[in-house]
Amino acid sequence: MNKIGLFLFLLPSIFLAQETKQTTEWFADAKLGIFIHWGMYAVDGTSESWAFHNKSVSYPTYMSQMKRFSAEHYQPEQWAALIKASGAKYCVITTKHHDGLALYNTQLKTPQASKQQNWNPKYPFSTSHQTPARQDLIAPFYSALRKEDIKIGAYYSLLDWSSNDYPAFLKDSSRYQIKDDPARWERFLTFMHGQIAEIATNYNPDLYWFDGDWEHSETEWEAAKIDSIIKAKNPNAILNGRLKSFGDYDTPEQNMPIIHPDRNTWELCLTSNDNWGYRPQDRNFKSHFELLSIFTECLGMGGNLLLDIGPKADGTIPDEQVAILKEFGRWTQKNASAIYGTTAGLPAGHYHGNSTLSKDSLQLNLFVPSPQNMELSTAKGVMTIYLKGIKSKTTHVKLLGSEDIIPIKEVGKISWSYVPGTYFIEIPIAAMDPMISVLQLQFAEPLQLYRGKGGFH
């Protein structure tokens, strides 16, 4: 194939890559999102959907929570204001988990509802019809988020363990095999696709966060049809990677990746304690320092953090999670220029820590964990960090949130070698942030790095 022919052959994929980059640009720049797991499982503080699937409680016992899911103190405007204050730029909430209960006012009745349902199958399986909340819990929250200029995301479980038209039920049982009853599977797909169409039409989310994909193949889910339903309403909507090849970004769960995920755009979804939904017995909340440290790890790899909270059944957010979001807000507001709209920082070997770069590579942000368990404001001395392989000259160095002038010293630079020396920087401990400090280096030209072996190389 000649060069012209090769170019014409690659042209569609080039345009597709550019379009994907433009569509996901807001997401890549957002850096912080808030995940909300809310549902009937908050009543008894049990595992969301998995409690009955894994047989820790019976299905009727699990479903009985629905009759006590009242949301009587739910104030979506306060939720949205708190999320705004955290510095998050997007929010994802469960519109329907694996148990099948829709938190929005679906008009579709669950086909062939489980015979143990403990709810009225004459009406749609939603909070509007089956719980004392008697309302669409999603619509007012999305409206409040949009007023705060926060992008909205819809978590939706592809599977539905409460529908007899869905093959799986308990972990050691299944209702049928698709190959043996394809009509039954098609009936479920019609229902599931219909709910996605409802969400797209009624709420037009910026982002779709699919889950439950592991139980069937992309072909069985008819993922292409799901994508077309969404894109017909909003061509710019982005989808998480759990819709297989139709996903726009990767979303590793709980554990920080060591190497970069496959897709260029990604987020880490992370609980603030050990569980997704409200669990009163789970007091193992991650500390503010731990969460911000993980956040800077994500930033340093060019990713986002999607941090989860689990509201109580009455619609209030646990105090510990309120405090976490407020601390994120304090830190993100102070260090905004090192967070939003940045790219991945220095490759390994240059700095022993996390960092980000401005898109024009004129600004390097170094995240420096501050000494913990001490009163910093009265502390004496300095913390010394060092950088290697920085070829560009700095114009100035500052500690965000401080007026102190930060000197920088180059050690080991040899006049006859183009190999740069090592930068040593001393940070006054008394001026450091209580959690993680940000040292910002400005360059006169886009940052250039030395990646050689040292000496004459």
Side-chain angles (χ1 to χ4, degrees):
M1 183 181 292
N2 60 36
K3 291 183 179 180
I4 295 177
L6 178 61
F7 176 76
L8 293 175
F9 175 76
L10 294 175
L11 200 56
S13 61
I14 292 171
F15 284 141
L16 179 61
Q18 290 175 338
E19 181 180 344
T20 301
K21 183 178 179 181
Q22 291 172 353
T23 300
T24 59
E25 186 172 10
W26 74 260
F27 179 82
D29 289 344
K31 302 306 178 186
L32 179 63
I34 302 301
F35 212 174
I36 300 177
H37 276 70
W38 197 31
M40 72 171 91
Y41 41 86
V43 173
D44 291 338
T46 190
S47 177
E48 66 289 347
S49 306
W50 294 97
F52 72 81
H53 181 77
N54 291 335
K55 304 172 76 171
S56 60
V57 301
S58 69
Y59 182 71
T61 297
Y62 178 92
M63 300 305 284
S64 70
Q65 297 177 98
M66 180 174 34
K67 301 304 181 184
R68 292 171 284 139
F69 186 37
S70 59
E72 69 268 27
H73 299 307
Y74 176 43
Q75 294 183 296
E77 293 81 8
Q78 287 188 4
W79 283 21
L82 178 62
I83 290 166
K84 177 75 170 182
S86 76
K89 302 300 183 183
Y90 65 105
C91 179
V92 180
I93 187 171
T94 48
T95 63
K96 189 207 76 170
H97 207 269
H98 313 326
D99 58 23
L101 179 67
L103 270 66
Y104 73 97
N105 190 22
T106 179
Q107 300 302 301
L108 299 175
K109 296 178 184 178
T110 302
Q112 299 293 311
S114 170
K115 292 180 171 57
Q116 307 176 62
Q117 74 268 1
N118 223 10
W119 48 277
N120 191 346
K122 293 181 180 180
Y123 300 97
F125 190 28
S126 74
T127 52
S128 298
H129 293 281
Q130 307 288 349
T131 74
R134 290 292 172 189
Q135 63 171 306
D136 181 331
L137 298 173
I138 299 297
F141 182 51
Y142 278 167
S143 177
L145 287 175
R146 285 221 157 98
K147 288 178 182 176
E148 297 286 5
D149 196 28
I150 296 170
K151 299 283 189 181
I152 66 172
Y155 169 106
Y156 182 85
S157 171
L158 298 168
L159 58 81
D160 188 334
W161 288 326
S162 286
S163 170
N164 268 337
D165 272 343
Y166 186 75
F169 181 38
L170 304 180
K171 66 177 181 180
D172 56 359
S173 67
S174 59
R175 297 182 174 102
Y176 68 96
Q177 296 295 317
I178 292 176
K179 62 182 177 59
D180 297 330
D181 199 345
R184 195 172 175 183
W185 176 245
E186 281 302 315
R187 193 161 58 221
F188 174 75
L189 287 181
T190 298
F191 167 75
M192 184 262 284
H193 293 161
Q195 284 199 322
I196 293 172
E198 283 182 325
I199 293 169
T201 300
N202 296 336
Y203 311 110
N204 191 23
D206 302 291
L207 178 156
Y208 290 78
W209 212 101
F210 290 110
D211 201 8
D213 58 293
W214 62 84
E215 290 198 346
H216 296 284
S217 69
E218 182 176 321
T219 301
E220 288 173 333
W221 288 124
E222 294 186 9
K225 184 174 181 180
I226 294 172
D227 182 71
S228 66
I229 290 170
I230 292 168
K231 297 301 172 62
K233 175 63 179 178
N234 182 0
N236 294 320
I238 62 174
L239 286 58
N240 73 336
R242 301 188 184 190
L243 198 64
K244 314 295 185 182
S245 63
F246 291 91
D248 296 300
Y249 67 94
D250 284 335
T251 180
E253 182 172 335
Q254 295 285 45
N255 300 310
M256 184 69 196
I258 303 300
I259 61 174
H260 197 287
D262 292 336
R263 291 180 174 90
N264 185 53
T265 309
W266 67 280
E267 73 181 3
L268 171 68
C269 59
L270 180 74
T271 54
S272 52
N273 49 8
D274 289 337
N275 293 278
W276 293 107
Y278 175 63
R279 303 286 286 275
Q281 69 275 24
D282 182 359
R283 310 298 303 164
N284 193 30
F285 287 94
K286 299 173 180 69
S287 72
H288 297 171
F289 178 76
E290 289 165 346
L291 288 169
L292 287 171
S293 296
I294 294 170
F295 183 35
T296 60
E297 283 277 347
C298 295
L299 295 173
M301 290 179 66
N304 294 2
L305 174 65
L306 182 64
L307 180 63
D308 184 71
I309 60 174
K312 300 177 183 179
D314 66 0
T316 59
I317 298 172
D319 292 342
E320 295 88 349
Q321 293 175 337
V322 171
I324 286 170
L325 296 189
K326 287 183 176 179
E327 176 60 14
F328 263 82
R330 180 200 69 81
W331 194 83
T332 56
Q333 183 176 13
K334 177 180 180 180
N335 301 301
S337 62
I339 301 169
Y340 307 109
T342 60
T343 63
L346 297 172
H350 292 276
Y351 170 60
H352 296 299
N354 303 312
S355 61
T356 59
L357 276 167
S358 60
K359 288 184 179 179
D360 59 11
S361 295
L362 292 175
Q363 182 177 290
L364 172 64
N365 308 292
L366 305 178
F367 299 107
V368 185
S370 304
Q372 298 298 293
N373 303 315
M374 66 181 294
E375 181 56 50
L376 297 182
S377 61
T378 58
K380 304 296 183 181
V382 298
M383 174 178 284
T384 303
I385 65 168
Y386 62 92
L387 288 170
K388 298 181 292 183
I390 306 297
K391 294 171 67 175
S392 304
K393 296 297 181 182
T394 59
T395 58
H396 64 274
V397 180
K398 65 179 178 180
L399 186 67
L400 295 189
S402 170
E403 299 299 324
D404 290 2
I405 297 174
I406 307 297
I408 187 169
K409 179 182 180 182
E410 188 174 15
V411 175
K413 174 62 177 145
I414 302 172
S415 61
W416 44 259
S417 173
Y418 65 87
V419 178
T422 300
Y423 284 151
F424 281 81
I425 307 172
E426 295 183 341
I427 307 170
I429 294 176
M432 296 185 76
D433 184 86
M435 296 294 157
I436 298 174
S437 300
V438 178
L439 198 66
Q440 197 167 79
L441 286 71
Q442 200 74 32
F443 301 98
E445 61 179 2
L447 176 62
Q448 297 182 49
L449 299 176
Y450 167 74
R451 301 289 288 166
K453 299 177 182 179
F456 296 101
H457 302 285

